Amino acid sequence: MWNNNYREWDDLRNLFVQGATGSKIIVTTRKESVSQMMGSGAINVAILSSTDSWALFKRHSLENRDPPKEYPELEEVGKQIADKCKGLPLALKALAGSLCYKSEVDERTDVLRSEIWEQTLNDVLPTLMLSYNVLIELY
Protein backbone atom coordinates (compact mmCIF):
# COMPACT_ATOMS: atom_id res chain seq x y z
CA MET A 1 0.00 0.00 0.00
CA TRP A 2 2.60 2.58 1.01
CA ASN A 3 4.53 2.12 -2.22
CA ASN A 4 1.58 3.56 -4.13
CA ASN A 5 1.13 6.45 -1.70
CA TYR A 6 4.71 7.25 -0.77
CA ARG A 7 4.20 11.03 -0.88
CA GLU A 8 1.16 10.80 1.37
CA TRP A 9 3.03 8.61 3.85
CA ASP A 10 5.98 10.99 3.77
CA ASP A 11 3.68 13.96 4.49
CA LEU A 12 2.16 12.06 7.42
CA ARG A 13 5.55 11.05 8.79
CA ASN A 14 6.79 14.66 8.60
CA LEU A 15 3.94 15.77 10.83
CA PHE A 16 5.15 13.36 13.49
CA VAL A 17 8.80 14.41 13.17
CA GLN A 18 7.92 18.06 13.76
CA GLY A 19 6.24 17.45 17.13
CA ALA A 20 7.14 19.31 20.31
CA THR A 21 10.35 18.38 22.10
CA GLY A 22 9.80 15.41 24.35
CA SER A 23 6.51 14.39 22.78
CA LYS A 24 6.01 10.82 21.70
CA ILE A 25 3.66 9.27 19.22
CA ILE A 26 2.87 5.59 19.20
CA VAL A 27 1.88 4.13 15.86
CA THR A 28 0.14 0.77 16.06
CA THR A 29 0.03 -1.39 13.01
CA ARG A 30 0.03 -4.99 11.92
CA LYS A 31 2.26 -4.15 8.94
CA GLU A 32 6.01 -3.99 9.35
CA SER A 33 6.27 -1.73 6.27
CA VAL A 34 4.31 0.99 8.11
CA SER A 35 6.71 0.89 11.04
CA GLN A 36 9.68 1.09 8.66
CA MET A 37 8.10 4.01 6.83
CA MET A 38 7.62 5.90 10.09
CA GLY A 39 11.33 5.39 10.81
CA SER A 40 10.76 3.91 14.24
CA GLY A 41 11.71 0.69 15.87
CA ALA A 42 9.05 -1.95 15.95
CA ILE A 43 7.90 -3.64 19.11
CA ASN A 44 6.10 -6.84 18.31
CA VAL A 45 3.31 -7.56 20.74
CA ALA A 46 2.66 -11.25 21.08
CA ILE A 47 -0.73 -12.87 21.18
CA LEU A 48 -1.93 -13.06 24.78
CA SER A 49 -2.60 -16.35 26.50
CA SER A 50 -6.16 -17.23 27.48
CA THR A 51 -5.37 -16.33 31.11
CA ASP A 52 -3.83 -12.97 30.20
CA SER A 53 -6.66 -12.26 27.75
CA TRP A 54 -9.23 -12.79 30.50
CA ALA A 55 -7.23 -10.64 32.94
CA LEU A 56 -7.09 -7.76 30.44
CA PHE A 57 -10.74 -8.16 29.49
CA LYS A 58 -11.82 -8.33 33.14
CA ARG A 59 -9.77 -5.25 34.05
CA HIS A 60 -11.49 -3.15 31.42
CA SER A 61 -14.98 -4.65 31.31
CA LEU A 62 -15.49 -4.93 35.06
CA GLU A 63 -13.05 -2.22 36.14
CA ASN A 64 -11.12 -4.89 38.06
CA ARG A 65 -14.18 -5.85 40.12
CA ASP A 66 -15.14 -9.44 40.59
CA PRO A 67 -18.32 -10.42 38.76
CA PRO A 68 -21.36 -9.81 40.97
CA LYS A 69 -22.19 -12.87 43.08
CA GLU A 70 -25.77 -12.81 41.85
CA TYR A 71 -24.49 -13.36 38.29
CA PRO A 72 -21.81 -16.06 38.45
CA GLU A 73 -22.31 -16.70 34.71
CA LEU A 74 -21.03 -13.16 33.98
CA GLU A 75 -17.48 -14.43 34.39
CA GLU A 76 -18.07 -17.41 32.09
CA VAL A 77 -19.59 -15.22 29.36
CA GLY A 78 -16.70 -12.77 29.76
CA LYS A 79 -14.14 -15.54 29.38
CA GLN A 80 -15.87 -16.77 26.21
CA ILE A 81 -15.87 -13.26 24.74
CA ALA A 82 -12.19 -12.86 25.67
CA ASP A 83 -11.40 -16.15 23.90
CA LYS A 84 -13.15 -14.93 20.75
CA CYS A 85 -10.72 -11.97 20.67
CA LYS A 86 -7.96 -14.50 19.90
CA GLY A 87 -5.38 -12.93 22.20
CA LEU A 88 -5.29 -9.57 20.40
CA PRO A 89 -4.73 -6.88 23.08
CA LEU A 90 -6.31 -3.99 21.17
CA ALA A 91 -9.40 -6.03 20.37
CA LEU A 92 -9.70 -7.19 23.99
CA LYS A 93 -9.33 -3.71 25.42
CA ALA A 94 -11.66 -2.04 22.91
CA LEU A 95 -14.47 -4.55 23.31
CA ALA A 96 -14.08 -4.78 27.09
CA GLY A 97 -14.16 -1.01 27.44
CA SER A 98 -17.33 -0.81 25.39
CA LEU A 99 -18.95 -3.43 27.65
CA CYS A 100 -17.89 -1.72 30.86
CA TYR A 101 -21.37 -0.28 31.45
CA LYS A 102 -23.21 -3.42 30.39
CA SER A 103 -23.36 -5.50 33.54
CA GLU A 104 -26.36 -7.61 32.64
CA VAL A 105 -25.59 -11.15 31.53
CA ASP A 106 -28.07 -10.93 28.64
CA GLU A 107 -26.33 -7.85 27.23
CA ARG A 108 -23.00 -9.63 27.17
CA THR A 109 -24.51 -12.86 25.86
CA ASP A 110 -25.89 -10.86 22.93
CA VAL A 111 -22.34 -9.76 22.12
CA LEU A 112 -21.05 -13.31 22.48
CA ARG A 113 -23.70 -14.65 20.10
CA SER A 114 -23.44 -11.82 17.57
CA GLU A 115 -23.16 -12.90 13.94
CA ILE A 116 -20.44 -10.33 13.40
CA TRP A 117 -17.82 -12.73 14.82
CA GLU A 118 -18.13 -14.77 11.64
CA GLN A 119 -17.80 -11.87 9.21
CA THR A 120 -14.78 -10.37 7.51
CA LEU A 121 -15.35 -6.65 7.32
CA ASN A 122 -12.88 -5.27 4.79
CA ASP A 123 -9.91 -6.14 6.99
CA VAL A 124 -11.55 -4.74 10.15
CA LEU A 125 -11.46 -7.22 12.98
CA PRO A 126 -14.99 -8.26 13.94
CA THR A 127 -14.10 -7.53 17.58
CA LEU A 128 -13.34 -3.89 16.84
CA MET A 129 -16.52 -3.56 14.84
CA LEU A 130 -18.49 -5.03 17.74
CA SER A 131 -16.92 -2.56 20.18
CA TYR A 132 -17.80 0.28 17.80
CA ASN A 133 -21.41 -0.89 17.58
CA VAL A 134 -21.69 -1.22 21.37
CA LEU A 135 -20.28 2.28 21.86
CA ILE A 136 -22.88 3.71 19.49
CA GLU A 137 -25.60 2.13 21.65
CA LEU A 138 -24.23 3.92 24.73
CA TYR A 139 -24.70 7.37 23.24
Side-chain angles (χ1 to χ4, degrees):
M1 175 185 147
W2 73 273
N3 288 332
N4 297 335
N5 300 313
Y6 178 79
R7 196 179 94 225
E8 292 172 4
W9 273 110
D10 198 40
D11 290 344
L12 178 63
R13 189 182 61 78
N14 286 335
L15 290 173
F16 293 142
V17 171
Q18 297 171 13
T21 304
S23 63
K24 297 186 185 322
I25 296 173
I26 298 172
V27 177
T28 59
T29 179
R30 296 175 76 188
K31 298 185 181 246
E32 189 174 331
S33 62
V34 172
S35 134
Q36 290 171 348
M37 182 64 182
M38 298 310 288
S40 60
I43 299 173
N44 293 318
V45 179
I47 301 297
L48 298 178
S49 69
S50 183
T51 302
D52 290 339
S53 291
W54 167 240
L56 180 62
F57 187 85
K58 178 181 173 183
R59 181 178 346 144
H60 292 282
S61 70
L62 296 172
E63 298 178 325
N64 254 353
R65 302 180 317 262
D66 286 325
K69 291 187 190 314
E70 62 271 16
Y71 297 113
E73 61 273 10
L74 197 61
E75 182 171 347
E76 184 55 37
V77 171
K79 286 181 177 180
Q80 289 177 36
I81 293 171
D83 285 343
K84 283 190 171 268
C85 292
K86 299 179 182 170
L88 300 172
L90 179 59
L92 284 155
K93 186 175 177 186
L95 187 54
S98 66
L99 291 174
C100 183
Y101 300 105
K102 293 185 179 276
S103 57
E104 297 296 322
V105 174
D106 290 344
E107 294 174 309
R108 293 179 181 226
T109 302
D110 288 346
V111 170
L112 179 64
R113 293 186 179 147
S114 173
E115 293 176 10
I116 206 165
W117 291 105
E118 309 306 322
Q119 298 176 11
T120 304
L121 305 165
N122 297 327
D123 209 25
V124 175
L125 293 172
T127 309
L128 296 179
M129 192 62 179
L130 267 169
S131 66
Y132 175 78
N133 289 339
V134 171
L135 281 173
I136 288 175
E137 292 171 12
L138 291 174
Y139 297 102

